[in-house]
Amino acid sequence: MTPGPENAPGFWLDTPEHRTWLAEDARKQFAFFRTALRPEGGFHTLEWNGTPRPDPLQELHCTTRMIHSYALAELCGVGGAEMVEHGMRYLAEGHRDGEGWAWGVEGQTPVDRRRMGYGHVFVLLAASSAHLAGHEDAPALIDAATEVLEQHFWEDGPGLIGPDFGPDWQPLDAYRGMNANMHGAEALMAAFEATGREDYLEKAGSILWFFLGLKAPAYGYRIPEHYFTDWTVDAEHDGDPMFRPAGTTPGHSLEFARLLLQHWDLAGRPDSGAPETARKLVERALADGWAEAGGLHYTVSLGGAPLLRDRYWWPVTEGIGALASLIKLERREEDEIWYRKLWSFAAEHFIDHERGGWYPGLDAAGQPTETQFKGKPDIYHALQATLYPLAPGLSRQGTTLPAL
């Protein structure tokens, strides 16, 4: 099943065949993940066939991403209000743990009470998207998440999101990271779109400037992931293989490039050099990350050598989003070649055309496998890969979303 007319001249974004294919994949994803609703609260992680996995643990970023994704379903006209309401209730009754939200919950009981910046920014994203979709509790959740982020996570000096905390709000360690900040920029821009408050856009800009205006050029447009307390680069860090792997992550460079263009657009497209920076990030990430057999290596060194060669679905989705943004700004043939290559690889290797959803990883032969990620871990990344190309602008929020 091809995602577009294979040998057609021009750009797939301009063809009804490709746009129809994108809309159909989005609808299949929405249909597949609706079965994740857990009657007693929250959401199941699903096996490849759509049955619930037995693990009772629900992590904060998974709950919030489901809320966000089905808020997009509501905005696209295919119905997501029930899923949003279910997730919002679970945030309040399951994850809410005093001042802040617990990272891991089983049933109604927090079992991992860490206060993670990565998780808290997704609370803000979920609240902002739910607000755009009309949920009555969303404005209060935006305010609550903003207050916690500003009081505990935001560091005024560097203008960045800082450490993670234990349940007593004592820092867990000296680590500072790029990943929470990248998704922080995403959430802050969503909050700006939901509320119109300029301070959200300013904070997102501060994050983008540090990582993309200062750090990326100093490292050949690779973005260091890990930092010491004073925000100098920790080039030797090798921690959690999912959230803190050694090296730099091409998928994050692609994601950051798209977010930079979104911020530039929301800010009125100033003469800031953002499109040029985004292009350099995309070109470097694809040159470093593309594997000989296709797909993107998970991590590379700060010099560009492959480190973790596992090929996951989400870096491909982020490449699609970044390239779609570049193509919307300027029709370049080299971008179209990469856009078609990524979609064609995804359609052949990652997408479950029969049941919906995307497989999380590939083995050496290019067949679906489970290594770091089990089941079909979420709808968030793959859904956005289908919606960004369909949206007329550089944002996925509000009235810019397509009707499916």
Side-chain angles (χ1 to χ4, degrees):
M1 180 181 292
T2 177
E6 293 187 27
N7 298 314
F11 296 82
W12 273 2
L13 285 181
D14 300 324
T15 66
E17 295 94 334
H18 181 56
R19 301 181 73 82
T20 297
W21 187 91
L22 292 171
E24 179 61 20
D25 188 67
R27 286 192 292 268
K28 285 181 178 179
Q29 291 189 56
F30 283 132
F32 179 83
F33 281 96
R34 286 185 198 278
T35 64
L37 189 147
R38 189 190 295 250
E40 66 273 22
F43 303 100
H44 295 288
T45 300
L46 300 179
E47 301 282 10
W48 291 358
N49 64 4
T51 59
R53 289 182 56 80
D55 187 355
L57 180 68
Q58 299 186 64
E59 293 179 328
L60 183 57
H61 68 298
C62 297
T63 302
T64 48
R65 285 175 172 185
M66 288 291 281
I67 295 169
H68 163 71
S69 296
Y70 280 92
L72 300 187
E74 186 71 11
L75 292 166
C76 289
V78 295
E82 179 186 6
M83 297 286 280
V84 171
E85 167 61 23
H86 193 77
M88 291 285 282
R89 190 181 314 121
Y90 196 64
L91 272 186
E93 298 175 0
H95 285 285
R96 189 73 197 221
D97 184 27
E99 185 186 8
W101 290 266
W103 176 252
V105 180
E106 293 184 3
Q108 305 298 316
T109 304
V111 295
D112 184 344
R113 299 184 62 212
R114 290 177 297 166
R115 280 78 164 99
M116 309 294 285
Y118 182 88
H120 280 69
V121 298
F122 275 113
V123 174
L124 181 60
L125 177 67
S128 301
S129 298
H131 180 45
L132 288 168
H135 195 284
E136 62 181 4
D137 296 335
L141 184 58
I142 291 174
D143 291 342
T146 300
E147 182 177 3
V148 173
L149 286 168
E150 290 183 345
Q151 288 189 0
H152 295 288
F153 291 98
W154 186 259
E155 296 186 337
D156 284 324
L160 298 168
I161 292 169
D164 297 319
F165 298 91
D168 56 358
W169 290 106
Q170 293 302 306
L172 291 176
D173 52 32
Y175 178 83
R176 301 293 187 272
M178 180 269 274
N179 198 4
N181 278 278
M182 181 187 70
H183 285 292
E186 174 190 26
L188 288 161
M189 285 190 284
F192 168 73
E193 292 185 276
T195 68
R197 285 177 45 183
E198 290 286 341
D199 57 318
Y200 289 122
L201 195 61
E202 291 169 3
K203 281 185 168 65
S206 176
I207 292 170
L208 291 163
W209 169 248
F210 178 83
F211 290 102
L212 308 186
L214 296 177
K215 295 302 180 183
Y219 288 86
Y221 288 90
R222 303 178 185 99
I223 310 171
E225 294 268 343
H226 312 298
Y227 297 82
F228 297 107
T229 305
D230 62 358
W231 287 102
T232 55
V233 174
D234 182 358
E236 304 302 319
H237 186 90
D238 187 5
D240 182 289
M242 182 185 298
F243 292 111
R244 299 183 183 181
T248 182
T249 308
H252 283 160
S253 292
L254 296 165
E255 198 165 358
F256 243 142
R258 171 180 56 75
L259 293 170
L260 176 63
L261 291 174
Q262 182 181 350
H263 184 272
W264 172 74
D265 188 55
L266 290 172
R269 300 195 174 194
D271 185 17
S272 62
E276 292 80 8
T277 297
R279 177 166 295 283
K280 290 176 181 177
L281 290 166
V282 170
E283 290 176 350
R284 171 58 66 192
L286 293 173
D288 285 347
W290 190 253
E292 184 176 350
L296 288 158
H297 299 306
Y298 187 36
T299 61
V300 302
S301 72
L302 288 173
L307 292 177
L308 187 58
R309 295 176 180 268
D310 291 357
R311 295 173 293 163
Y312 300 133
W313 87 111
W314 72 261
V316 172
T317 70
E318 292 303 334
I320 287 166
L323 287 160
S325 296
L326 290 174
I327 291 168
K328 289 176 186 181
L329 289 177
E330 182 182 2
R331 298 299 206 258
R332 290 195 187 185
E333 183 179 357
E334 60 267 32
D335 295 335
E336 178 67 8
I337 290 171
W338 271 111
Y339 181 79
R340 294 190 186 194
K341 181 185 291 189
L342 289 173
W343 263 128
S344 296
F345 188 83
E348 183 176 354
H349 295 281
F350 283 117
I351 299 175
D352 186 341
H353 297 284
E354 179 181 353
R355 293 171 294 200
W358 292 39
Y359 299 111
L362 303 176
D363 63 17
Q367 296 300 308
T369 189
E370 293 177 311
T371 52
Q372 183 68 51
F373 300 94
K374 307 300 181 184
K376 289 177 178 169
D378 70 20
I379 186 176
Y380 164 82
H381 286 287
L383 173 67
Q384 293 178 156
T386 64
L387 295 184
Y388 280 124
L390 289 171
L394 297 178
S395 172
R396 59 161 171 244
Q397 301 287 345
T399 57
T400 64
L401 282 170
L404 299 178

